[in-house]
Amino acid sequence: MSSPRPSADARVLDPVEYYHSGPTAFFASQRDQRFSYCLYVPGVHRTTTAPLPLTVVVHGTQRMAERYRDAYRGFAEENETVVLAPLFPAGIGEPGDLHGFKRLSFRGVRFDRVLLDIVDEVAQRYRVDGTRFALHGFSGGGQFVHRFAYLHARRLSALSIGAPGRVTRIDPRVPWWPGTADLRERFGTDLDLDALRAVPVQMIVGAEDTETWEIAEPGVDAGGDTRVERLTSLRDNFEAHGVGVRFDVVPGLAHRGLQLQPVVQDFFAGVLAGRS
């Protein structure tokens, strides 16, 4: 008879390991201690001999990393995945800056590399497969994750883009950030469309996410006025380049990232189960 699986929120009763199990403490990145992360480590981590899959959830402008991590507790236990929530503090590179992480590079900081360093650190400390991971971000995090995918599609097992206020469309004629013409000059790499086409992609937004006060871009072809319109333009752009998209417009919701997470988790669960 097999032993029972550890229950949800099971913690290791050890003075050190307690804080590395279930909902963990925040840990500073050892590569750059301006950045930190927290995890949810499911009970199965205590008994598994095989590395667990990794799910990464990126906060928006308000930096609610811990709240997003907590929203994934049940998902982590049910799907036997470690959940990572990185924290990109405001004010990195410039006092008061809120937005630098969203465009991957700001004042000499490569935020995409910060995340990869954290993933590698987690894979060294925990029984986690960090070679490829599922990635979701909402709002400012949605901006980060779709741009991250342009540079690092081969590191992704799934991609969920949540309600970005501004989008970067695949366009070799238009420079960064509205387009992708100068990726090599800016980031040292080209867009790998074949790799991106192999990644299951979800785009998700609330049907009532239509306020424009924060995201107005006068004189810029932003793909529409609202987040719904802009995400629709990004979907059309992906599909025109052969990238398949599951497009979820959630009825009755405005700009509420935590309330969208059950639909994101349904998408990720399908990927983990081999359904997507």
Side-chain angles (χ1 to χ4, degrees):
M1 181 177 178
S2 62
S3 58
R5 290 174 53 188
S7 62
D9 287 342
R11 305 294 287 271
V12 179
L13 299 183
D14 173 270
V16 173
E17 293 306 310
Y18 179 86
Y19 297 98
H20 288 273
S21 62
T24 74
F26 271 90
F27 295 99
S29 167
Q30 295 307 291
R31 181 62 66 88
D32 187 335
Q33 295 192 351
R34 294 175 294 179
F35 304 98
S36 59
Y37 61 93
C38 63
L39 303 162
Y40 188 88
V41 181
V44 70
H45 182 265
R46 292 157 56 183
T47 56
T48 185
T49 58
L52 298 177
L54 181 64
T55 301
V56 179
V57 184
V58 179
H59 61 69
T61 308
Q62 289 185 306
R63 272 79 177 170
M64 298 190 301
E66 186 173 12
R67 292 183 66 184
Y68 279 99
R69 185 276 309 275
D70 289 346
Y72 277 73
R73 291 185 184 207
F75 173 83
E77 295 289 350
E78 293 167 12
N79 294 278
E80 299 185 349
T81 178
V82 170
V83 173
L84 163 65
L87 175 60
F88 301 126
I92 297 293
E94 182 178 288
D97 173 66
L98 294 169
H99 307 296
F101 82 99
K102 302 173 187 178
R103 296 181 185 173
L104 306 187
S105 179
F106 182 73
R107 297 289 189 267
V109 179
R110 284 285 301 272
F111 290 90
D112 58 320
R113 291 177 179 166
V114 171
L115 177 57
L116 290 174
D117 288 340
I118 289 172
V119 167
D120 291 345
E121 182 176 319
V122 168
Q124 291 172 7
R125 174 59 178 79
Y126 301 86
R127 286 185 292 281
V128 170
D129 181 0
T131 57
R132 296 173 70 236
F133 51 91
L135 179 64
H136 168 73
F138 174 77
S139 193
Q143 293 193 48
F144 174 88
V145 301
H146 81 278
R147 295 172 182 137
F148 181 95
Y150 292 158
L151 304 185
H152 306 289
R154 292 189 182 277
R155 295 296 299 269
L156 299 180
S157 59
L159 172 66
S160 173
I161 305 165
R166 295 168 176 85
V167 298
T168 297
R169 285 168 286 184
I170 301 168
D171 191 335
R173 302 162 299 175
V174 177
W176 192 262
W177 59 269
T180 55
D182 51 350
L183 287 186
R184 176 158 291 278
E185 291 79 5
R186 288 180 176 270
F187 300 106
T189 188
D190 296 314
L191 173 64
D192 187 342
L193 263 178
D194 287 339
L196 186 59
R197 290 170 181 140
V199 177
V201 176
Q202 175 193 50
M203 296 184 186
I204 182 168
V205 65
E208 306 305 317
D209 197 347
T210 55
E211 292 191 2
T212 62
W213 61 269
E214 187 183 7
I215 63 171
E217 290 283 359
V220 174
D221 176 13
D225 295 328
T226 70
R227 288 181 171 88
V228 176
E229 292 171 353
R230 292 180 185 183
L231 196 60
T232 300
S233 76
L234 186 64
R235 177 204 59 189
D236 294 345
N237 175 256
F238 270 41
E239 291 182 342
H241 287 85
V243 181
V245 176
R246 167 177 159 173
F247 195 68
D248 288 305
V249 179
V250 182
L253 287 186
H255 201 58
R256 296 290 183 268
L258 291 171
Q259 295 179 41
L260 293 179
Q261 296 312 303
V263 185
V264 177
Q265 291 170 11
D266 175 74
F267 168 67
F268 280 160
V271 173
L272 287 167
R275 298 196 303 270
S276 297

